[in-house]
Amino acid sequence: MQMNCQFLSPTRQAEILPFETAPRPIVGFACDYPSGLATGFHTHPRAQLLYATSGVMRVETPDSNYVVPPTTALFVPANAEHAINMDGPVTMRALFLREDAATHVGSKSKVIAVSGLLREVVVAACAEPVEWSPDGRGQHLAALALDEIAKSSPLPLGLPLPRDPRLRRVISALRSHPGDARSLEEWSEIANASSRTLARVFRAETGLSFRQWRQQARLTEALSALTLGVPPAKAAAIAGFNSVPAFGAAFRELFGITPGQARSLRSGAPR
């Protein structure tokens, strides 16, 4: 593993190396992380399925920002640069995928829904030794995990990030204060570009209008807050909604679940 920060000591890196080089198609990796921990950008030589039985992970790549609550997992291709931030304590139960296994999943980062079966398979895989017996339980768990991952539906939990430095200044401020109601015309002073230019570049680089991007960013922040136990009324305020029913309708349209269901995700018990 290559990292540009001191998240891992040499000893810790040596402990992870077997998971990155094991002669098995899938290897489970279990680790608990404290609230607020940030890994910094790093890469792995193998693809990963990042999953946590409890807690919320924020994962950033050069192109997108993902929020990964329980009941979802993020597939990260091999050698893809990414950084993880822990929103509250996180009980990570992840999988490392060998190249031939990863080809069954895809070549791009994506958030998938984690079924009850996939959750238990991942947890069971993490209990197996790194070099599990090819004739034992690990073989069946690996095959079932790949089948469940391949069948899982992608979820709209990835927020595309523009590369234009003018837009980066705008989204950096919005991510710190998602409820900020300033219009694109008002943001143009900070970005040092006309609102028309900002709108055009925003659409070209993210595929979304500024209004759509901001709405998704706000709802994503609300999702994170809900999974940490914040009540729906406060989550609605975080998302910039004055009406809780209107917030609930927008939230359900984007994520396919209600704010109440999202809030119940925090109850996932560590395994």
Side-chain angles (χ1 to χ4, degrees), residues 188-244:
S188 65
E189 293 186 20
I190 293 175
N192 196 26
S194 70
S195 59
R196 179 174 297 182
T197 296
L198 292 179
R200 175 177 54 79
V201 178
F202 218 104
R203 173 74 72 174
E205 294 202 1
T206 69
L208 301 172
S209 70
F210 171 72
R211 186 184 298 273
Q212 290 171 325
W213 190 94
R214 181 170 63 182
Q215 172 106 322
Q216 187 171 335
R218 288 174 169 180
L219 291 171
T220 299
E221 290 296 327
L223 170 65
S224 178
L226 285 164
T227 57
L228 291 174
V230 168
K234 186 172 181 180
I238 290 172
F241 284 81
N242 295 321
S243 165
V244 174

Side-chain angles (χ1 to χ4, degrees), residues 60 65 161 168 170-178 213 221:
E60 186 165 331
N65 183 68
L161 299 176
R168 284 280 184 168
V170 175
I171 67 167
S172 177
L174 282 173
R175 289 168 70 184
S176 297
H177 303 283
W213 190 94
E221 290 296 327

Side-chain angles (χ1 to χ4, degrees), residues 61-140:
T61 70
D63 300 316
S64 300
N65 183 68
Y66 302 90
V67 172
V68 190
T71 75
T72 71
L74 175 65
F75 173 73
V76 180
N79 300 309
E81 194 175 18
H82 62 285
I84 309 173
N85 294 275
M86 313 300 174
D87 272 4
V90 168
T91 56
M92 183 183 288
R93 301 294 181 264
L95 300 177
F96 280 93
L97 284 72
R98 202 173 59 194
E99 183 178 2
D100 56 322
T103 57
H104 294 283
V105 182
S107 59
K108 295 183 178 180
S109 297
K110 60 182 177 180
V111 178
I112 63 170
V114 174
S115 65
L117 176 58
L118 180 55
R119 179 191 189 280
E120 295 306 319
V121 169
V122 170
V123 170
C126 289
E128 290 290 306
V130 174
E131 294 195 21
W132 42 263
S133 171
D135 301 321
R137 184 170 180 247
Q139 175 187 4
H140 301 294

Side-chain angles (χ1 to χ4, degrees), residues 1-2 16 20 42-48 77-80 82 96:
M1 180 170 64
Q2 298 176 345
I16 289 182
E20 300 178 321
H42 64 282
T43 63
H44 293 277
R46 288 194 176 181
Q48 285 183 290
N79 300 309
H82 62 285
F96 280 93

